[in-house]
Amino acid sequence: MRNTFGNIFTLTTFGESHGEAVGGIIDGMPAGIEVDMDFIQHQLDRRRPGQSQITTQRKEPDHVELLSGVYQGKTTGTPIGFMVRNTNQRSSDYNNMVDLFRPSHADYTYYNKYGLRDPRGGGRSSARITISRCVGGALAMLALQQLGITIQAYTTQVGDIKLEGDYTHYDLSQIDSNIVRCPDLEKAQQMEALIREVKADGDTIGGVIACVIKGCPVGLGEPEFDKLHAQLGAAMLGINAVKGFEYGLGFDGVSQRGSQQNDVFVAHHGQITTRTNNSGGIQGGISNGQDIYFRVAFKPVATLLRSQNTVDANGCATVLQAKGRHDPCVLPRAVPIVESMAAMVLLDNYLLNKTVHI
């Protein structure tokens, strides 16, 4: 059972949605990194439930406790253990789902894989488990900051409402100025209105999160089975509700000719760079020093607050009426998760790259 992410910088997670706590162990964190607890908590606050009227109303403080690996405010190079306690579970909301399979959820697959499942909040398949990823990602970002590498994600589409330009057309400092986390304030208002409409109808809606990585050095990523874009794609596709990943021009570039899409090399102030960045900062599976940018597609949340036809564990047809507190749209809370997964991939590859030369 694969519960560990990474090669040198690793995160092993534990916990369930309605258990005592969720948490993890981070290994391979370089020593001497200043640990900014306010920054780590800020990333958790951006992910936590109950932060606005368009997210689940489960009320959790999501306060992180670091148990090891930090002394006098700096990492020691030893494993960092951490925990976030669950304090606001309502397991009774799931009593009517014990023997039913929610459509498009992990209930059926978990039951068949393991022979049993924890129905309370989805157990291990719950998006609440991404708390551990945010802690690991926040620590990775603190290390990357010392290297001049920054990572910013934002909501670029909800339903059929989307931004027309890429990240270069927007002021990314405006991402957290609204509850949708979209840098275009007018579009953000439209997205929020759509989410409220969907929520009132007991339904859910999906969308797209974009992410840009600036300051990445040349040379990260492996040339064969661990290409940098493949690692980023795997990290994003491992997030709950993610259905697609593309980087650079992605699918939009398939209608172009090579003469239109190739990133021509030029010299700029004595440095080699490219005139365009259609490759999204990655060529041959290795970072080329340009901005890395990609997009992640999220499906509508599977749990609806309306009746759905389904079957029980015996295959008998029945009707599910879900209860509880659920997100009508996962995107606003998923922004820091995307950033976190990207940060862990980047730091892991930076450390791996140190093994290339003696």
Side-chain angles (χ1 to χ4, degrees):
M1 291 180 282
R2 181 70 170 168
N3 295 295
T4 299
F5 179 85
N7 298 284
I8 294 180
F9 179 90
T10 65
L11 168 68
T12 301
T13 70
F14 68 83
E16 296 84 29
S17 178
H18 285 215
E20 290 297 318
V22 296
I25 297 175
I26 297 165
D27 206 354
M29 180 72 175
I33 304 297
E34 291 191 9
V35 177
D36 184 342
M37 290 301 299
D38 289 338
F39 175 74
I40 297 172
Q41 190 60 54
H42 173 66
Q43 286 296 92
L44 285 175
D45 289 345
R46 296 171 78 214
R47 194 226 68 94
R48 72 175 175 82
Q51 59 184 276
S52 75
Q53 290 299 311
I54 61 171
T55 65
T56 170
Q57 293 305 292
R58 177 173 175 171
K59 300 296 184 182
E60 294 278 4
D62 285 353
H63 177 71
V64 62
E65 304 172 44
L66 296 188
L67 308 176
S68 62
V70 177
Y71 178 67
Q72 293 184 340
K74 292 186 177 181
T75 57
T76 62
T78 59
I80 299 174
F82 65 88
M83 179 172 61
V84 174
R85 298 182 184 276
N86 296 324
T87 63
N88 191 229
Q89 310 98 311
R90 283 199 334 214
S91 299
S92 60
D93 287 341
Y94 297 86
N95 287 346
N96 68 326
M97 304 182 196
V98 173
D99 296 316
L100 305 183
F101 298 132
R102 287 172 291 177
S104 289
H105 213 286
D107 299 345
Y108 176 75
T109 51
Y110 265 60
Y111 180 77
N112 278 272
K113 181 177 179 66
Y114 299 108
L116 72 166
R117 66 182 177 91
D118 182 350
R120 303 169 303 166
R124 184 74 173 156
S125 70
S126 170
R128 184 153 181 78
I129 308 305
T130 58
I131 284 175
S132 299
R133 304 181 188 206
C134 282
V135 175
L139 284 162
M141 279 188 268
L142 290 174
L144 293 174
Q145 286 174 11
Q146 295 195 9
L147 303 172
I149 301 173
T150 62
I151 301 172
Q152 289 180 290
Y154 59 92
T155 299
T156 186
Q157 181 173 348
V158 173
D160 58 0
I161 301 171
K162 62 182 179 179
L163 304 187
E164 299 303 325
D166 64 20
Y167 69 96
T168 62
H169 293 78
Y170 300 98
D171 179 3
L172 300 189
S173 68
Q174 296 299 307
I175 292 172
D176 283 316
S177 67
N178 57 84
I179 59 178
V180 183
R181 297 202 164 90
C182 172
D184 184 311
L185 301 185
E186 182 177 345
K187 290 286 188 180
Q189 292 176 347
Q190 297 175 22
M191 292 174 181
E192 180 184 344
L194 175 58
I195 296 172
R196 289 182 182 277
E197 176 186 331
V198 165
K199 179 182 178 182
D201 199 31
D203 215 332
T204 61
I205 192 76
V208 177
I209 289 176
C211 185
V212 57
I213 303 168
K214 291 179 174 288
C216 182
V218 181
L220 302 193
E222 301 302 308
E224 185 60 18
F225 298 112
D226 279 326
K227 297 177 188 294
L228 185 57
H229 58 269
Q231 292 186 60
L232 285 168
M236 299 306 145
L237 289 165
I239 300 173
N240 306 54
V242 169
K243 285 295 188 180
F245 170 85
E246 62 175 351
Y247 74 103
L249 285 185
F251 287 100
D252 288 340
V254 301
S255 60
Q256 294 183 351
R257 300 188 179 190
S259 57
Q260 297 173 293
Q261 190 168 150
N262 283 355
D263 293 318
V264 176
F265 288 106
V266 295
H268 183 69
H269 298 303
Q271 300 292 322
I272 295 177
T273 184
T274 57
R275 184 172 291 134
T276 55
N277 188 21
N278 297 322
S279 299
I282 303 172
Q283 293 172 329
I286 300 172
S287 62
N288 67 1
Q290 303 302 307
D291 293 346
I292 296 172
Y293 65 97
F294 58 85
R295 291 163 299 282
V296 186
F298 286 78
K299 71 171 185 176
V301 176
T303 303
L304 313 182
L305 294 181
R306 53 162 66 181
S307 298
Q308 294 187 85
N309 293 325
T310 188
V311 299
D312 61 22
N314 295 314
C316 299
T318 185
V319 175
L320 168 66
Q321 179 61 60
K323 303 175 183 178
R325 301 159 294 181
H326 305 280
D327 287 288
C329 179
V330 75
L331 273 79
R333 296 175 59 210
V335 165
I337 304 170
V338 168
E339 293 174 346
S340 294
M341 296 307 296
M344 289 192 286
V345 169
L346 263 290
L347 180 57
D348 192 33
N349 275 271
Y350 180 85
L351 296 174
L352 278 169
N353 208 43
K354 290 296 184 180
T355 68
V356 174
H357 300 286
I358 294 179

